[in-house]
C-alpha cells in the first residue's frame, strides 16, 4: 500500500476542505508515492514521536496538531519544530496533520468530547459560514432523471439528515443556434421553444469542480446553461464546538468532578459558581474563547474549552459556568478515534497508537 492510499482514507474521515483558512493540514512532510510500512497516530509529531515511529517501522505519522504551522525560513535544528522535521526527512517518515479538518467534522473532535461526557442530542455550536453553494440548471424532461442522479452521485443535494434533495419546476426555454451550432432539438438558425425543467440543488463548495464535471458529462445540450450562487446559510452539520445535554442535571461541583474524571485533567480553572444545575453543556476542544458568546446565546449552563485568559472568565457574565479543562485534555481522545477509524478502514495494515505523552503542561 502506498502512503497516498492511506491519505485518501484520512481525507474521507476529515476532508481537508473543512479546515479553517488559517490552518495547515494534510501532508506536511514526505512522499505520498512511497510504500507505506506502518502508521503511527499521535497528538503532536515531536522528535520523540518520530523516534518512536522509526523504532516501530512506521513511515507515516498521523498527528492531530500540525508540527508545521507557520513557514520555516531555515531548517537548522534550533527548535523543536525544526528538529522533528529534520529527523522525519532523514528517516523517510511522512507527517500528515488533520487538526481543524477534524475539529469541524460532525463526528470529529467535539463529538468525541461530547461522547466522553455522555452528552445527548448534540449539535454544532458554531456552524461554518460561507460553505454552501447552489447550482441552478435547465434541461429537457427526458434528461432530468439522468442529470439529477449524476449531481446527487457527485455530492449535491445533501441537507442535514436528508440526501437527494432538489427543487424542480417546469418552464419554456428558448434559443436559436448559429452556423457553428449543433442543437439537440431543432435546427441551426431556427428559433426553438422547448419544454424544460429547472433543477436546483445545493452542495458544499469544495465539491464545485466535481459537480460541474457531472453536469457537463450528463447534460444533453451542446451549451449548458447554469448558474452557481454562494449562499448565506450556515452549514448546520459542519463547524466548531458542539452543544448537548446531560441525561440528568448535576450540581456545578459534581459536574466539574465528573469532567475532571472523564477527561483525565490535572485541574480545572472555572468562573464563579452560579448555584444552578448543569444540564445543557457546550464544548469546544482546544482554544475556544471566541465561542463564549455562542455558548451563552445557545442557553448553555456550562461551556468547557481551553486556553482561557484572565479577563475572558469575566465574559461568562453570570450567565453560565465557564471552565478551562486544558488544551491537551479537551482533545485527548482524538488520536484514539483516528486509530479506530483507520483500523476499520484498513484492517490488514499496522495502525499503531503512539505511547508518547506530548502534553507540554504538567500539574504540581
Amino acid at each position: 500500500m502506498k502512503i497516498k492510499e492511506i491519505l485518501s482514507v484520512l481525507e474521507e474521515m476529515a476532508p481537508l476542505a473543512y479546515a479553517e483558512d488559517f490552518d495547515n493540514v494534510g501532508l506536511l512532510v514526505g512522499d505520498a508515492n512511497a510504500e507505506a510500512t506502518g502508521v503511527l497516530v499521535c497528538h503532536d509529531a515531536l522528535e520523540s514521536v518520530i523516534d518512536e515511529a522509526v523504532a516501530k517501522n512506521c513511515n507515516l505519522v498521523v498527528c492531530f496538531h500540525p508540527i508545521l504551522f507557520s513557514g520555516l525560513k531555515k531548517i537548522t535544528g534550533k527548535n523543536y519544530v525544526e528538529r522533528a522535521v529534520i529527523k522525519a526527512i532523514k528517516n523517510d517518515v511522512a507527517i500528515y496533520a488533520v487538526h481543524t479538518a477534524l475539529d469541524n467534522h460532525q463526528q470529529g473532535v467535539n463529538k468525541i468530547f461530547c461522547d466522553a461526557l455522555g452528552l445527548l442530542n448534540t449539535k454544532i455550536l458554531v456552524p461554518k459560514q460561507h460553505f454552501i453553494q447552489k447550482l441552478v440548471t435547465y434541461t429537457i424532461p427526458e434528461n432530468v432523471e439522468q442529470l439529477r442522479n449524476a449531481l446527487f452521485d457527485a455530492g449535491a443535494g445533501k441537507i442535514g439528515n436528508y440526501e437527494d434533495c432538489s427543487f424542480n419546476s417546469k418552464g419554456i426555454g428558448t434559443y436559436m443556434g448559429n452556423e457553428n451550432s449543433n442543437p439537440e432539438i431543432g435546427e441551426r438558425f431556427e428559433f426553438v421553444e422547448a419544454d424544460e425543467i429547472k433543477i436546483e440543488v445545493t452542495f458544499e463548495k469544495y465539491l464545485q469542480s466535481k459537480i460541474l464535471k457531472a453536469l457537463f458529462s450528463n447534460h444533453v445540450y451542446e451549451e449548458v446553461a447554469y448558474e452557481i450562487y454562494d449562499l448565506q446559510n450556515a452549514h448546520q452539520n459542519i463547524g466548531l464546538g458542539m452543544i448537548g445535554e446531560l441525561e440528568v442535571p448535576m450540581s456545578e461541583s459534581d459536574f466539574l468532578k465528573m469532567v475532571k474524571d472523564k477527561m483525565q485533567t490535572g485541574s480545572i480553572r472555572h468562573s464563579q459558581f452560579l448555584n444552578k444545575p448543569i444540564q445543557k453543556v457546550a464544548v469546544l476542544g482546544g482554544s475556544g474563547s471566541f465561542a463564549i458568546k455562542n455558548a451563552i446565546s445557545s442557553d448553555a449552563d456550562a461551556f468547557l474549552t481551553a486556553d482561557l485568559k484572565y479577563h475572558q472568565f469575566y465574559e461568562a457574565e453570570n450567565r453560565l459556568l465557564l471552565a478551562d479543562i486544558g488544551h491537551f485534555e479537551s482533545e485527548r481522545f482524538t488520536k484514539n478515534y483516528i486509530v479506530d477509524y483507520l483500523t476499520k478502514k484498513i484492517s490488514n495494515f499496522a495502525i499503531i497508537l503512539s505511547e508518547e505523552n506530548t502534553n507540554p503542561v504538567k500539574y504540581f
Side-chain angles (χ1 to χ4, degrees), residues 133-148:
Q133 293 183 324
K134 175 185 273 192
L135 169 72
V136 178
T137 190
Y138 314 81
T139 190
I140 57 176
E142 294 82 0
N143 181 224
V144 168
E145 185 174 357
Q146 175 187 335
L147 179 57
R148 198 168 48 203

Side-chain angles (χ1 to χ4, degrees), residues 28 30 99 114 119 131 133 152-153 169 181 209 223 246 287 357:
L28 307 181
H99 205 210
C114 287
L119 299 183
F131 203 70
Q133 293 183 324
F152 293 155
D153 289 343
S169 52
S181 65
S209 61
E223 298 289 350
L246 293 167
S287 303
N357 182 350

Side-chain angles (χ1 to χ4, degrees), residues 4-22:
K4 65 182 179 182
E5 296 175 63
I6 301 171
L7 303 191
S8 295
V9 177
L10 287 166
E11 289 195 36
E12 290 175 7
M13 177 190 74
L16 299 182
Y18 286 11
E20 295 297 304
D21 292 340
F22 65 79

